[in-house]
């Protein structure tokens, strides 16, 4: 399908995007919409259209599948993202990465800041960079502020894998990809990660590929 015209009013473009139904096309790296940042959400979509857009983000995220999706990843430069993680991983991985289930939630105008000085590094991928993963060192705990889709204030601390998810999705809203923060010597095809670097932590990959960990 043709992308909605970037010159059309934002609400009109979202209506065009949703008109086809089903999961939305995910924008791949190289598209400027992933690099230009986003507008703060301030009622640009009426409540009914916002609800439809959020539902489309949820459908698209689940179909991909992924654990988060930001509005720029479907071509919409609004400061909105969704996250959800059923965390279907072995106990060894759960413990090493702090990966615990996260219910579906909507992040509107989110921002984060580190809590403490701890940093952790793991392989990370992105729906907009299909086929690849790289190790990213991020703050181990963050404080997330913003609102939900109903305008209720969010002010919550996240640790473990949920902290990584909210950082990754909020970065999208600032025009950042995970590769901007990655250890590029770790860049690996998904097949290589599955075959060689499937351990709960990237320590073996760091030794073999020659990069540092925090």
């Amino acid at each position: 399908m043709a992308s909605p015209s970037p010159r059309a009013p934002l609400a009109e473009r979202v209506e065009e995007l949703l008109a086809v139904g089903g999961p939305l096309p995910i924008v791949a790296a190289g598209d400027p919409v992933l690099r230009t940042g986003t507008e703060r959400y301030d009622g640009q979509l009426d409540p009914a259209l916002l609800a439809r857009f959020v539902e489309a983000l949820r459908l698209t995220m689940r179909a991909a599948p992924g654990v988060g999706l930001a509005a720029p990843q479907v071509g919409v430069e609004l400061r909105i993202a969704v996250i959800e993680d059923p965390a279907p991983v072995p106990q060894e991985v759960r413990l090493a990465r702090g990966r615990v289930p996260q219910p579906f939630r909507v992040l509107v105008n989110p921002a984060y800041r580190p809590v403490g000085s701890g940093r952790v590094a793991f392989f990370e991928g992105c729906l907009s960079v299909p086929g690849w993963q790289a190790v990213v060192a991020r703050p181990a705990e963050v404080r997330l502020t913003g609102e939900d889709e109903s305008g209720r204030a969010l002010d919550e601390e996240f640790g473990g894998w949920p902290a990584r998810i909210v950082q990754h999705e909020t970065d999208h809203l600032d025009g950042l990809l995970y590769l901007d923060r990655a250890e590029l010597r770790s860049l690996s095809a998904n097949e290589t990660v599955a075959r060689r670097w499937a351990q709960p932590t990237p320590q073996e990959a760091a030794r073999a590929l020659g990069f540092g960990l925090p």
Side-chain angles (χ1 to χ4, degrees), residues 17 24 27 33-34 38 53 57 69-82 169 172-173:
L17 193 63
L24 304 175
V27 174
V33 74
L34 295 174
T38 52
F53 181 57
L57 289 175
L69 189 68
Q73 291 182 275
V74 297
V76 177
E77 64 271 34
L78 274 179
R79 201 167 183 81
I80 297 173
V82 296
E169 299 309 327
H172 270 303
L173 305 179

Side-chain angles (χ1 to χ4, degrees), residues 98-186:
R99 188 168 176 184
V100 295
Q102 287 295 299
F104 177 78
R105 59 198 304 174
V106 183
L107 311 180
V108 177
N109 301 324
Y112 70 83
R113 61 176 178 81
V115 175
S117 59
R119 293 176 66 80
V120 289
F122 293 103
F123 273 101
E124 193 169 316
C126 179
L127 297 177
S128 291
V129 189
W132 299 91
Q133 296 180 47
V135 172
V136 184
R138 292 188 181 272
E141 296 182 52
V142 296
R143 179 179 178 183
L144 182 78
T145 55
E147 301 97 45
D148 67 11
E149 68 274 33
S150 299
R152 291 184 290 262
L154 297 177
D155 188 344
E156 186 173 344
E157 291 188 5
F158 289 82
W161 207 256
R164 182 165 297 266
I165 295 171
V166 300
Q167 290 174 77
H168 181 115
E169 299 309 327
T170 303
D171 281 356
H172 270 303
L173 305 179
D174 293 326
L176 295 172
L177 295 175
Y178 82 97
L179 291 173
D180 298 323
R181 302 188 185 279
E183 174 53 68
L184 291 183
R185 290 185 69 94
S186 71

Side-chain angles (χ1 to χ4, degrees), residues 41-114:
Y41 179 74
D42 189 24
Q44 292 92 329
L45 311 181
D46 67 43
L49 182 55
L50 175 62
R52 289 170 54 212
F53 181 57
V54 164
E55 182 57 30
L57 289 175
R58 170 160 47 181
L59 177 65
T60 305
M61 174 181 64
R62 289 178 173 176
V67 296
L69 189 68
Q73 291 182 275
V74 297
V76 177
E77 64 271 34
L78 274 179
R79 201 167 183 81
I80 297 173
V82 296
I83 65 172
E84 181 181 47
D85 185 13
V89 295
Q91 181 71 1
E92 181 185 19
V93 174
R94 185 184 303 262
L95 292 174
R97 301 179 186 176
R99 188 168 176 184
V100 295
Q102 287 295 299
F104 177 78
R105 59 198 304 174
V106 183
L107 311 180
V108 177
N109 301 324
Y112 70 83
R113 61 176 178 81

